[in-house]
């Protein structure tokens, strides 16, 4: 145990195999994406690329899943609606 700057007690994990397996989720996803890209290049998919300007999100419950599905279904409809409005008012 040790204390942080504010004097709160925190536990310090020793360097164990378990501790070595604890990595930020972003690191794990990055390694996965790199491995998929290497596989794609090796198997003739050299034009494969991950979508840029994209962030990953873990879906934590049924409500989030419902909202994401709803967004995926309705978003293209909004594009068409915006195009139509632009044609009318421009």
């Amino acid at each position: 145990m040790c204390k942080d700057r504010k004097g709160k007690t925190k536990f310090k994990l020793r360097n164990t195999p378990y501790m070595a397996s604890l990595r930020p989720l972003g690191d794990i996803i990055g390694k996965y994406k790199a491995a998929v890209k290497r596989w794609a290049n090796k198997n003739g998919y050299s034009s494969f690329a991950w979508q840029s300007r994209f962030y990953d999100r873990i879906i934590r419950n049924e409500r989030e899943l419902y909202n994401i599905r709803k967004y995926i279904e309705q978003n293209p409809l909004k594009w068409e609606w915006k195009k139509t409005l632009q044609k009318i008012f421009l």
Side-chain angles (χ1 to χ4, degrees), residues 19-79:
M19 185 60 190
S21 70
L22 295 177
R23 299 279 184 248
L25 184 58
D27 288 355
I28 295 167
I29 291 170
K31 288 181 181 189
Y32 170 76
K33 287 182 171 182
V36 170
K37 177 65 174 162
R38 278 192 303 276
W39 179 91
N41 288 339
K42 188 176 176 181
N43 289 283
Y45 298 97
S46 58
S47 63
F48 173 83
W50 291 100
Q51 180 179 351
S52 63
R53 299 180 55 87
F54 174 82
Y55 73 97
D56 297 307
R57 176 164 172 77
I58 295 174
I59 301 171
R60 291 175 171 41
N61 57 44
E62 290 293 323
R63 183 75 182 162
E64 285 188 23
L65 178 59
Y66 171 79
N67 288 335
I68 291 167
R69 286 178 172 164
K70 187 173 153 186
Y71 172 83
I72 291 169
E73 288 174 0
Q74 293 179 354
N75 202 37
L77 299 173
K78 290 179 184 176
W79 294 342

